[in-house]
Amino acid sequence: MDFRTDFKPVTVQPQEIEDLSFQMIADELGEHPFTDEQFPVVQRVIHASADFDLGRSLVFHKDAIQSGIAAIRSGKKVVADVQMVQVGISKNRIEKYGGEVKVYISDRDVMEEAKRLNTTRAIISMRKAIKEADGGIYCIGNAPTALLELIRLVKEGEAKPGLIIGMPVGFVSAAESKEELAKLDIPFITNIGRKGGSTVTVAALNAISIMAERLD
Amino acid sequence: MDFRTDFKPVTVQPQEIEDLSFQMIADELGEHPFTDEQFPVVQRVIHASADFDLGRSLVFHKDAIQSGIAAIRSGKKVVADVQMVQVGISKNRIEKYGGEVKVYISDRDVMEEAKRLNTTRAIISMRKAIKEADGGIYCIGNAPTALLELIRLVKEGEAKPGLIIGMPVGFVSAAESKEELAKLDIPFITNIGRKGGSTVTVAALNAISIMAERLD
């Protein structure tokens, strides 16, 4: 491939690169336990991480994909735990149905409330999210405390997410928070173990919004 | 750990969680080939990915850490290839020395030039970066084409980066672009293989800015 485009203009088409990558992923993954509607999420997570183990570690609630698609197509909000997740999400496929991608963790009222209660902004941001984005999709790639708080709010009947994509990465509480999520009987996508993070969380959401758009 | 902070306020200190995580990483990693000044970068990359293999795959030019620290402390710019990398970088430790964290890929002039030359915005963004941020730190976590273009500009004597952190993830060109970077005799941090991405690129830069600040 020649990238010396100032001498010999060539088109390096991102879509072609993506198509080729996705074919390589399908070929190398081989047999897997995922359904046809789950597989695009697995594929895009592997695409974003080059990590087949992480892809294989994904766990889906049976209603996850359909409920996520329905939330997007009915214009529900998408909540990101941190700004890296927010900026990574493809906005056009959310906004075309009336939705928005929100992040609350740096809001002034969240910071003040966290200070007042001597707790984390991640926790308070979820309490704000359930008021502002009920029925929406929660994308948590960074903060296990946010995911644990959201799980608590669901259990207490205070939150009814359309979908939780919970894939925080880390050594303290991340794996445990995802195990708790996987016990819920509500739509979720998560993974087993410490791995995860902003990029794979974004990848999972984007995979679903692409599926949503294909129904147009 | 009790996260039901509405009943029993507890402080979940992010710094304590990070300290504990870093100790776990050092313990589990065991023997490794990295120097004392490289190790904090390895540790933070593993912290951001929970991936010891990725941490072990890091490759450092001998001057990488010192040159990166010098660039930050002399107020050079930090260039991110994509917005996810830009928003993840801790700004305060760059701006306190007069630097800025820039991303050019969505600039109007970059988009227009890419269209005119029938090439990618990632490539054109690097051509803009070398004019606006010479001597700075380039953080490339997403676009192999950006890294390949930057390498070309270095080889032709048009770019003199203070440090290149090149860790794009992917199945097409990513591993190859990093192999090319590792052949250069200029300050770089990269890794072997397909893995990488925005979060680990951010982690490497943040590790260096923390080291820079400790010299105050």
Side-chain angles (χ1 to χ4, degrees), chain A residues 139-215:
Chain A
C139 300
I140 299 176
N142 192 73
T145 58
L147 182 53
L148 287 165
E149 177 67 4
L150 182 57
I151 291 167
R152 183 187 73 79
L153 292 163
V154 167
K155 284 182 176 172
E156 300 199 353
E158 293 181 55
K160 299 229 177 301
L163 172 64
I164 300 175
I165 300 174
M167 301 176 69
V169 59
F171 289 81
V172 176
S173 302
E176 295 82 352
S177 71
K178 291 181 280 191
E179 280 173 30
E180 289 303 310
L181 177 59
K183 290 177 191 166
L184 297 184
D185 186 19
I186 60 160
F188 66 77
I189 300 172
T190 187
N191 74 296
I192 295 165
R194 291 167 169 174
K195 288 179 179 177
S198 299
T199 50
V200 290
T201 301
V202 165
L205 188 281
N206 285 343
I208 290 175
S209 74
I210 290 168
M211 286 188 268
E213 192 175 44
R214 289 201 176 134
L215 296 176

Side-chain angles (χ1 to χ4, degrees), chain A residues 5 11 28 118 127 194, chain B residues 5 11 28 118 127 156 194:
Chain A
T5 54
T11 307
E28 287 189 41
N118 190 28
R127 296 186 193 169
R194 291 167 169 174
Chain B
T5 53
T11 307
E28 287 189 42
N118 191 27
R127 296 186 194 168
E156 300 200 352
R194 292 166 166 174

Side-chain angles (χ1 to χ4, degrees), chain A residues 67-159:
Chain A
S67 186
I69 289 173
I72 289 170
R73 290 182 63 85
S74 60
K76 301 291 187 190
K77 289 195 176 75
V78 174
V79 177
D81 63 338
V82 294
Q83 208 190 348
M84 271 190 87
V85 170
Q86 188 199 27
V87 301
I89 292 171
S90 298
K91 307 293 181 301
N92 55 333
R93 290 193 298 270
I94 305 302
E95 291 169 359
K96 71 184 285 189
Y97 304 109
E100 271 183 281
V101 184
K102 304 288 286 183
V103 61
Y104 299 109
I105 197 163
S106 296
D107 288 3
R108 179 175 293 275
D109 57 347
V110 168
M111 290 196 277
E112 285 172 356
E113 181 76 350
K115 196 170 178 186
R116 192 177 69 80
L117 293 176
N118 190 28
T119 186
T120 68
R121 292 190 288 137
I123 287 172
I124 303 301
S125 73
M126 288 297 115
R127 296 186 193 169
K128 181 167 181 178
I130 63 162
K131 288 180 196 144
E132 309 245 332
D134 197 35
I137 302 181
Y138 294 75
C139 300
I140 299 176
N142 192 73
T145 58
L147 182 53
L148 287 165
E149 177 67 4
L150 182 57
I151 291 167
R152 183 187 73 79
L153 292 163
V154 167
K155 284 182 176 172
E156 300 199 353
E158 293 181 55

Side-chain angles (χ1 to χ4, degrees), chain B residues 3 5 31 50 58 67-68 74 130 133 140-141 154 176 190:
Chain B
F3 290 100
T5 53
E31 282 190 40
L58 288 175
S67 187
S74 59
I130 63 161
I140 299 177
V154 167
E176 295 82 351
T190 187

Side-chain angles (χ1 to χ4, degrees), chain B:
Chain B
M1 208 177 290
D2 184 2
F3 290 100
R4 304 182 59 154
T5 53
D6 45 348
F7 303 126
K8 177 175 172 290
V10 293
T11 307
V12 187
Q13 292 291 357
Q15 192 57 51
E16 285 171 24
I17 293 174
E18 188 171 295
D19 292 347
L20 177 57
S21 302
F22 274 51
Q23 190 54 54
M24 291 168 75
I25 292 164
D27 292 347
E28 287 189 42
L29 185 62
E31 282 190 40
H32 61 78
F34 302 107
T35 68
D36 286 350
E37 65 170 19
Q38 292 165 353
F39 188 64
V41 175
V42 178
Q43 206 169 22
R44 192 162 287 273
V45 163
I46 295 173
H47 180 250
S49 62
D51 192 332
F52 286 89
D53 291 336
L54 176 51
R56 285 194 193 92
S57 78
L58 288 175
V59 182
F60 295 81
H61 182 271
K62 64 179 170 47
D63 300 330
I65 306 295
Q66 288 307 320
S67 187
I69 289 173
I72 289 169
R73 291 182 63 86
S74 59
K76 301 290 186 191
K77 289 195 176 73
V78 174
V79 177
D81 63 339
V82 292
Q83 209 190 349
M84 271 190 85
V85 171
Q86 187 198 29
V87 302
I89 291 171
S90 299
K91 309 293 181 301
N92 57 333
R93 290 192 299 268
I94 305 302
E95 292 169 358
K96 71 183 286 190
Y97 303 109
E100 270 183 281
V101 183
K102 304 289 286 184
V103 61
Y104 299 110
I105 197 162
S106 295
D107 288 3
R108 179 175 293 275
D109 57 346
V110 168
M111 291 197 276
E112 285 171 357
E113 181 77 350
K115 197 171 178 185
R116 192 177 71 79
L117 293 175
N118 191 27
T119 186
T120 68
R121 291 191 287 138
I123 286 173
I124 303 301
S125 73
M126 287 297 115
R127 296 186 194 168
K128 181 166 181 178
I130 63 161
K131 286 179 198 146
E132 309 247 332
D134 197 36
I137 302 181
Y138 294 75
C139 300
I140 299 177
N142 192 72
T145 59
L147 182 54
L148 287 164
E149 176 67 5
L150 183 58
I151 291 167
R152 183 186 74 79
L153 292 163
V154 167
K155 284 181 177 173
E156 300 200 352
E158 293 182 54
K160 300 230 178 298
L163 172 64
I164 300 175
I165 301 174
M167 300 176 71
V169 60
F171 289 81
V172 177
S173 302
E176 295 82 351
S177 71
K178 291 181 280 191
E179 280 172 31
E180 289 304 309
L181 177 59
K183 290 176 191 166
L184 298 184
D185 186 20
I186 61 161
F188 66 76
I189 300 173
T190 187
N191 72 296
I192 295 164
R194 292 166 166 174
K195 289 180 180 178
S198 300
T199 49
V200 290
T201 301
V202 165
L205 188 283
N206 286 342
I208 289 175
S209 74
I210 290 168
M211 285 188 269
E213 192 176 46
R214 288 202 176 134
L215 297 176
D216 280 358

Side-chain angles (χ1 to χ4, degrees), chain A residues 1-2 16 34 51 70 72 99 117 141:
Chain A
M1 207 176 294
D2 184 2
E16 286 172 23
F34 302 107
D51 191 331
I72 289 170
L117 293 176

